[in-house]
Amino acid sequence: MITVLEVIQKTTGFFSGKGVESPRLQAELIVGHVLGLKRMQLYLQFERPLIEAELEKIRPLVRRRSQREPLQYVLGETEFHGLRLTVDRRALIPRPETELLVVAALEACAIPPARVLDLGTGSGAIALAIAQQLPMATVTGVDVSDDALALARENAVSTSLAERVRFAKSNWFAALPADARFELIVANPPYLSAEETAATEPEVHAHEPAQALTAADSGSADLRTIIAGTSKFLTQGGMLALETGIAQHAELTALAKSAGFARVESRPDLTGRDRIILAWQS
């Protein structure tokens, strides 16, 4: 019978030949996921023989990852800001840069916001993370995709936050009530150009939803729409927090100032590049 270690070694070699990044780690995570073992537990069971029923569960996941499907989709879940979320092709995979967006937005609020709007909620990651951090807040997440909204609602239930997070269909602000007001509006909209999306790894351009990645006007169209429409829905002194492309900050900062925001700041990502824009309503 084949052991845990032998399966990991064979899978590592297979992944290497397919161009999968960090093939040994990816193999260990898949095998550990199927066996219900964390990596340290896995190491302690390297000599354990695997039965055929276990191998039958491992093989399709290995095949999917070898086709460059993202590991998060293969496993069906990911961690985001302390929450375990379901992820699949219905929405973009939440990334570390977006965790920074949540942290930056909450840290920059002088008073914890009572009403929060998450534009383009996708999997619901931002809305749910903010709701978890602000137990007194009411959070609304909107998205134009019915599939994404279904996923977000599933995550709200699984994280026990469904009573405090409302999800609704809207193309940015289009379907919001005219009298809706928020102390914080946050968004991670599409901000890649078509050329930038095409240049990403297969895990991204071949598997994640294109509408969540790519925007017109060299990636800035949706960001422009959000900046132009935000002031109507922000309370006095309220804040807009945006995740953006690294080359868009000069343009977007100028646009926010011309839209009447009293103060605009850029915040860097983990590599020190401009990634987040914070803008305060006068």
Side-chain angles (χ1 to χ4, degrees), residues 220-242:
S220 65
D222 291 317
L223 288 159
R224 286 173 166 270
T225 297
I226 291 169
I227 290 172
T230 291
S231 60
K232 178 181 176 182
F233 296 96
L234 268 183
T235 59
Q236 184 176 6
M239 187 180 71
L240 170 66
L242 292 172

Side-chain angles (χ1 to χ4, degrees), residues 77-98:
E77 62 184 20
T78 194
E79 291 279 344
F80 182 84
H81 210 267
L83 298 173
R84 184 169 291 276
L85 303 177
T86 297
V87 288
D88 56 37
R89 291 181 182 232
R90 289 176 286 178
L92 200 68
I93 297 167
R95 288 165 164 78
E97 292 85 356
T98 309

Side-chain angles (χ1 to χ4, degrees), residues 51-119:
I51 61 174
E52 184 58 29
E54 292 169 329
L55 293 172
E56 287 178 357
K57 293 179 180 179
I58 291 171
R59 289 186 188 112
L61 303 189
V62 169
R63 186 179 309 112
R64 288 171 61 188
R65 187 67 187 100
S66 74
Q67 295 167 348
R68 305 297 293 273
E69 184 175 351
L71 180 68
Q72 295 93 331
Y73 287 170
V74 171
L75 301 184
E77 62 184 20
T78 194
E79 291 279 344
F80 182 84
H81 210 267
L83 298 173
R84 184 169 291 276
L85 303 177
T86 297
V87 288
D88 56 37
R89 291 181 182 232
R90 289 176 286 178
L92 200 68
I93 297 167
R95 288 165 164 78
E97 292 85 356
T98 309
E99 289 191 81
L100 287 178
L101 175 66
V102 171
V103 171
L106 295 180
E107 287 181 348
C109 291
I111 300 173
R115 294 163 295 179
V116 180
L117 174 63
D118 174 25
L119 292 167

Side-chain angles (χ1 to χ4, degrees), residues 216-221 223-224 227 247-258 277:
D217 297 336
S218 300
S220 65
L223 288 159
R224 286 173 166 270
I227 290 172
Q248 297 168 326
H249 275 227
E251 172 196 358
L252 297 175
T253 297
L255 185 63
K257 290 178 178 178
S258 67
I277 283 182

Side-chain angles (χ1 to χ4, degrees), residues 148-226:
L149 289 169
L151 177 60
R153 292 186 179 107
E154 291 169 20
N155 281 323
V157 171
S158 68
T159 56
S160 302
L161 292 166
E163 291 185 3
R164 291 197 298 106
V165 183
R166 170 182 171 267
F167 293 106
K169 186 172 184 177
S170 181
N171 185 10
W172 306 127
F173 302 103
L176 291 179
D179 60 351
R181 296 294 183 272
F182 305 91
E183 287 80 24
L184 173 62
I185 296 177
V186 61
N188 173 25
Y191 56 73
L192 297 180
S193 67
E195 294 77 16
E196 287 171 328
T197 298
T200 60
E201 294 294 325
E203 284 85 348
V204 178
H205 70 252
H207 295 279
E208 295 195 74
Q211 67 271 21
L213 293 165
T214 310
D217 297 336
S218 300
S220 65
D222 291 317
L223 288 159
R224 286 173 166 270
T225 297
I226 291 169

